[in-house]
Amino acid sequence: MKFENSLAFAQELDQQDPLASFRSRFHFPTFHNENPVYFTGNSLGLQPKTAATYIQEELNAWANYGVEGHFLAKRPWFSYHENLTNMAAKVVGALPIEVVITHSLTTNLHLLMVSFYRPSGKRVKILCEEKAFPSDQYALASQISFHGLPAETLVEVGPRPGEHLIREEDILQKISELGDELALVMIGGVNYYSGQYFDLQKITAAGHAVGAVVGFDLAHAAGNVNLALHNWNVDFAAWCGYKYLNSSPGGVSGLFVHERHAHNKSLPRFAGWWGHNKEVRFQMEPGFDPIPGAEGWQLSNAPVLGMAAHLASLEIFEEAGMERIAQKRDQMTAFLAFLIEDVSVRNEEKCSFEIITPTNPNQRGAQLSILAKGQGKQLFDRLTDLGVIADWREPNVIRIAPAPLYNSYQDCFRFAQYLERAIL
Ligand SMILES: Cc1ncc(COP(=O)(O)O)c(C=O)c1O
C-alpha cells in the first residue's frame, strides 16, 4: 500500500479498519492529556473495560460465599485458570495441554529452567542474546551459579560492531559452534530494546540439532507476533500477561511446555500442591503426582482477581482473532514507520530519526525503536508534554508500540505531528 502523511489518509485507514470498534473497549489514561497517544502497550497494555466487571464478580463471590467460592462461584476458583487455557493457547499457537496461566514471568522462567536446564558433563552452556532483559540476565546467571558453574557458562550473541540487530546467522552459527557443550538456548523471542523478532522455528531446530533444549521468554511476543510454539517444537516458554495481553500490572503470566514432555513425570521440578493430580489433591496425601502437561508446573492456588483481568482481555483477543490483529499490526506499524521517516527526511538539518527495528514485517511486531540522532531526552520530554505516552531508553532510543486492538491510524498520524513539533 502507498501511504500518505495526511490526516485524511489516516482517517480513511481507520474507516476501513475491521478492528476499529475494539478501541472503545479500553480505558485510556487521561491524567495529563484528554486525548493521549498511548504507545506503551509493550510495557503495560490498557485496561479492558470488562476487567472491572470480571474482578467485581469474584469480589462478590468472595463476599457471598467466603471459602465456598472455590466451588460455588460462577467460575469456581479451584479451577479458575482452566477458563483461560484454550484462549491463551490460541494466542501462542499451542495445544491446551501445553499451556497454563500461573505465577509471574520470572518465576515461571525459573521453574522451567529447573526442569529444562540440566547441565551435565561438558554439556553445560546456556546461549542467550546480548543485553537480554535484565531480569532474564539475573535469572540465567543465578541458575548457572545454582548448579555451581562459572559465569562463563553463559554465552551471549550480540550485534556485530556498528550494527543494532543480531544477525540470525550469527545465532545459528554460535549454536553449531557450541555443539555438544550447549545445554540450553534461552532467548527473548522479541527483543525488548530493538523490537527484533527472531526466527524461533529456525533457532529451535538448530538447538535441537546439537542436542540442546530450547526455551523462549515471550514477554514482548505474546499477543504481539504470530506464534506456533507447538508446531515449531519449542521445548518451553513463558510470557507475561500485562504487556500486549492487557491483563493488569504484574498480572498473571503464561507457561508453555511442549506436549512431548507432558507425560514425563521423571522431569525434575519444584513442586507445589496445585501441580498435583487434581482428582486427589484435596485428599492431602503425601507423594507428588504431577498433572500431565503445563498444569503440572503450577505451585499455588490461583490468584483469582488477577486471572479475572486476564479473562477479560483474552476474551477480546478471542473475538478479534490473532489473524486480524496481525494484519492490522503489520499495516499500522508500516504506516507509522513511513510517517517517522517522512518527518526525519524533512528535518534532517536539526535532527534525524533512525528506526533500528527490522523493516521486514516477519522480523518485528508492533514495536518500533527510534534512534533520535541530534536530540536527546529533551525531545522525548516535549513529546510527553504534547500527549504521547512512550518509553525512553538511554542514551537516545524512543520505543513506541501501536497496539492493534486499541490504537488507531490517527494515533500514528498525531504521533508524527507531535514528533515534528517536539524537534528543537
Ligand atoms: C523480556 C522480559 N523478561 C522478563 C521481564 C520480567 O517480568 P516479571 O517482572 O513479570 O517477572 C520483563 C518485564 O518487563 C521483560 O520485558
Side-chain angles (χ1 to χ4, degrees), residues 67-234:
V67 70
E68 293 303 324
H70 281 288
F71 305 100
L72 299 179
K74 180 168 114 193
R75 299 182 190 90
W77 303 333
F78 85 98
S79 56
Y80 196 96
H81 65 280
E82 292 173 17
N83 295 296
L84 311 170
T85 307
N86 289 356
M87 291 187 285
K90 275 196 216 166
V91 169
V92 296
L95 304 176
I97 193 173
E98 296 172 323
V99 168
V100 69
I101 299 301
T102 187
H103 317 132
S104 62
L105 170 55
T106 308
T107 312
N108 285 339
L109 284 174
H110 273 302
L111 292 173
L112 289 163
M113 283 194 276
V114 162
S115 300
F116 292 105
Y117 176 49
R118 306 299 305 156
S120 116
K122 68 189 278 214
R123 195 181 283 286
V124 294
K125 299 230 157 109
I126 302 183
L127 181 68
C128 76
E129 75 279 34
E130 196 177 275
K131 295 203 186 127
F133 190 83
S135 193
D136 290 9
Q137 293 180 33
Y138 310 146
L140 291 168
S142 62
Q143 286 282 335
I144 284 169
S145 74
F146 178 74
H147 286 282
L149 293 162
E152 311 79 75
T153 305
L154 187 63
V155 179
E156 297 180 342
V157 195
R160 294 187 188 180
E163 298 185 6
H164 298 292
L165 303 173
I166 305 175
R167 295 195 194 190
E168 236 140 50
E169 68 212 69
D170 291 352
I171 300 178
L172 302 179
Q173 167 64 26
K174 188 55 86 180
I175 291 174
S176 91
E177 214 175 281
L178 290 169
D180 60 5
E181 290 176 34
L182 187 61
L184 174 67
V185 178
M186 224 299 286
I187 286 180
V190 172
N191 184 266
Y192 82 98
Y193 180 77
S194 66
Q196 180 177 13
Y197 177 26
F198 297 106
D199 188 329
L200 307 191
Q201 184 172 19
K202 268 198 203 150
I203 292 173
T204 306
H208 288 169
V210 299
V213 173
V214 182
F216 296 108
D217 172 347
L218 299 178
H220 289 263
N224 177 26
V225 294
N226 306 21
L227 295 165
L229 299 183
H230 175 80
N231 289 342
W232 297 342
N233 258 324
V234 172

